[in-house]
Amino acid sequence: MMHIAFLTPEYPHPKVLNAAGIGTSIKNLAHSLVKNGCKVSVFVYSQENQVVEEQEGVTIHIIKSVDYKIGKWFFYSKYLQNYINSIVKKENISLIEAPDWTGITAFMKFTVPLILKLHGSDAYFCHLEGRKQKVKNYWFEKIALQQADGYLAPTDFAAKVTSELFKIDSKKITTIPNGIAIHNFYNQYPEQFEKGVILYIGTIIRKKGVFELPEIFSKVLKEHPDSQLVLIGNDANDIATKSKSTWLLLKEKFENLGIINNVNYLGKVSYQEVQSHIEKAHVCVFPTFAETQGMVTIEAMAMNKPVVNSDIGWSKELIIDGESGYLVHPKNHQLYAQKINLLLADEALCFKIGANARKRVEKVFDIDKLAISTIEYYKTFIK
């Protein structure tokens, strides 16, 4: 029996500190691999406690962060290496998949093949945002990539950019999208929604395009003055201003435009609540500047929601513009608002776009189909 392991800093579990797109994509794949007859273990590092638990057929190793007086990054990676290798031997693990972020595997040596999933390195996001990257971060990520046995990417765009940044032969990178369990994202009554509710889901952070929302929404309100903008997601530090709260900066922009009363920031909510809010939404918006794919976009599409997304790279592999959603550059506030207003004014168009979005997810992002492709890929590295 093939036994696949995932190394990750996040995973949806009550005892894990964080869970975002990477964690969700891993969980979706892990459960589908189990359905297809694989054993799956997940190693979640840098946590508050040390626990091993079983969840729906997946063995989850929650690994506590360890403090060192000097060289914590190096020594902790060696600690992880030794822990994982012991489980590899004990449980007969066949292959390990890890993310490219920060090059966590740079100084790890495993006794089984290592696949790096291009969820988005620090170099990748710095490049898309036009920020300067710390030299050591690039160095760690480059070493990690050089030592990997293979590479998976969720989009051709992520593969291309990573290949160029790290001088990797693009032919060695295989693209298999991240998928969702589409039966978990079924909207039985797409015709029922709260009229005028515009929903954003994601971290409140600059790279997600949140600072474009005040200008976009102010233009929406000129045509649809009763509209409400609902924001869901963790607040974050702002890298440009050094502020500890991006939301407070964003709130000030809404206040200065006199539209704060039409804005509702809910903070972080449970995964189940997110689905409920998607169901209620009239339109979903994701004006992000930096993604490798965007899991929540796919989830919204699966629930028959019309989406207005960025038109940058990866998003063109998610949405067919004008058919299963709209693609607009986040800086083009006027056009972005026009697309939202078009949807708010035309329910028949909303239903048509939403239905096409659902069909596209069923065709391209069904995790059960993608898991089979992933298993075939893994087999090429297992002796």
Side-chain angles (χ1 to χ4, degrees):
M1 180 187 291
M2 188 185 295
H3 187 168
I4 304 302
F6 295 90
L7 176 62
T8 174
E10 59 176 73
Y11 193 79
H13 186 280
K15 296 179 182 177
V16 172
L17 294 173
N18 296 302
I22 293 176
T24 300
S25 66
I26 291 172
K27 184 175 182 178
N28 291 343
L29 178 56
H31 287 179
S32 193
L33 290 174
V34 170
K35 283 170 60 178
N36 280 278
C38 298
K39 287 188 67 175
V40 177
S41 295
V42 177
F43 298 97
V44 194
Y45 62 89
S46 295
Q47 300 303 304
E48 291 181 339
N49 299 295
Q50 192 94 2
V51 183
V52 179
E53 290 191 0
E54 189 95 359
Q55 186 186 71
E56 298 179 63
V58 177
T59 303
I60 305 168
H61 296 256
I62 299 170
I63 306 172
K64 188 176 182 179
S65 180
V66 180
D67 289 326
Y68 298 91
K69 290 182 179 180
I70 58 170
K72 177 178 177 177
W73 194 92
F74 175 81
F75 289 111
Y76 186 59
S77 70
K78 287 298 182 183
Y79 170 80
L80 290 175
Q81 169 198 285
N82 295 336
Y83 179 89
I84 294 168
N85 277 336
S86 70
I87 305 300
V88 166
K89 184 177 180 180
K90 181 180 176 183
E91 300 292 337
N92 197 26
I93 289 172
S94 313
L95 176 146
I96 298 169
E97 181 183 299
D100 52 346
W101 174 254
T102 71
I104 185 63
T105 59
F107 300 107
M108 296 184 190
K109 295 186 184 301
F110 297 114
T111 55
V112 292
L114 171 66
I115 305 300
L116 281 199
K117 183 69 174 282
L118 308 182
H119 288 291
S121 62
D122 184 45
Y124 175 90
F125 286 114
C126 285
H127 170 75
L128 292 187
E129 295 175 71
R131 292 189 290 111
K132 188 175 182 180
Q133 186 188 21
K134 292 180 181 178
V135 174
K136 71 178 181 68
N137 286 4
Y138 177 82
W139 182 56
F140 289 154
E141 289 177 343
K142 187 174 181 65
I143 292 172
L145 285 160
Q146 288 174 336
Q147 292 183 344
D149 296 289
Y151 313 99
L152 279 172
T155 56
D156 289 334
F157 178 81
K160 181 177 182 293
V161 172
T162 303
S163 171
E164 292 171 352
L165 289 172
F166 293 100
K167 306 297 186 291
I168 300 171
D169 184 352
S170 60
K171 294 178 183 177
K172 294 182 178 179
I173 305 175
T174 298
T175 298
I176 301 178
N178 294 323
I180 64 170
I182 57 175
H183 58 276
N184 290 336
F185 292 88
Y186 181 70
N187 187 357
Q188 189 174 0
Y189 304 107
E191 71 281 359
Q192 296 180 12
F193 56 86
E194 295 184 3
K195 192 169 178 61
V197 172
I198 302 161
L199 178 64
Y200 166 89
I201 306 168
T203 305
I204 308 300
I205 193 170
R206 186 175 291 269
K207 71 179 182 181
K208 298 286 189 180
V210 295
F211 285 116
E212 311 311 316
L213 286 172
E215 287 293 340
I216 291 169
F217 188 47
S218 68
K219 295 180 185 338
V220 169
L221 288 171
K222 288 178 182 178
E223 290 192 27
H224 295 90
D226 294 328
S227 297
Q228 294 288 319
L229 177 63
V230 177
L231 307 169
I232 293 175
N234 284 330
D235 193 7
N237 296 339
D238 181 52
I239 197 163
T241 64
K242 310 302 180 186
S243 170
K244 292 183 178 180
S245 172
T246 298
W247 163 244
L248 290 180
L249 298 175
L250 187 59
K251 181 183 177 185
E252 185 178 357
K253 288 182 176 290
F254 285 123
E255 289 172 339
N256 290 341
L257 288 168
I259 58 175
I260 189 63
N261 290 338
N262 292 73
V263 178
N264 188 9
Y265 173 47
L266 303 181
K268 182 181 179 180
V269 304
S270 72
Y271 203 56
Q272 289 71 29
E273 286 179 275
V274 168
Q275 289 193 38
S276 175
H277 283 287
I278 293 174
E279 279 189 350
K280 293 175 184 176
H282 194 155
V283 178
C284 294
V285 295
F286 305 103
T288 179
F289 292 107
E291 294 282 3
T292 53
Q293 182 177 331
M295 292 299 294
V296 72
T297 298
I298 299 166
E299 292 171 353
M301 291 170 68
M303 296 183 72
N304 292 71
K305 291 299 166 179
V307 170
V308 184
N309 210 327
S310 301
D311 69 345
I312 305 169
W314 71 89
S315 59
K316 297 175 183 179
E317 298 175 48
L318 307 187
I319 291 170
I320 298 174
D321 188 30
E323 180 181 307
S324 48
Y326 290 111
L327 302 175
V328 184
H329 196 280
K331 288 289 185 182
N332 193 339
H333 300 154
Q334 187 65 44
L335 184 58
Y336 210 104
Q338 282 178 11
K339 296 302 183 184
I340 295 171
N341 281 326
L342 185 65
L343 291 164
L344 294 179
D346 191 338
E347 287 190 10
L349 178 63
C350 280
F351 298 150
K352 180 181 176 181
I353 295 287
N356 288 340
R358 172 70 188 189
K359 289 175 184 175
R360 179 148 178 84
V361 173
E362 290 174 347
K363 179 180 178 181
V364 182
F365 302 107
D366 181 347
I367 191 59
D368 289 337
K369 296 176 184 175
L370 295 169
I372 294 171
S373 299
T374 306
I375 289 169
E376 292 305 310
Y377 174 78
Y378 289 156
K379 284 179 179 177
T380 64
F381 295 90
I382 300 170
K383 297 177 181 179

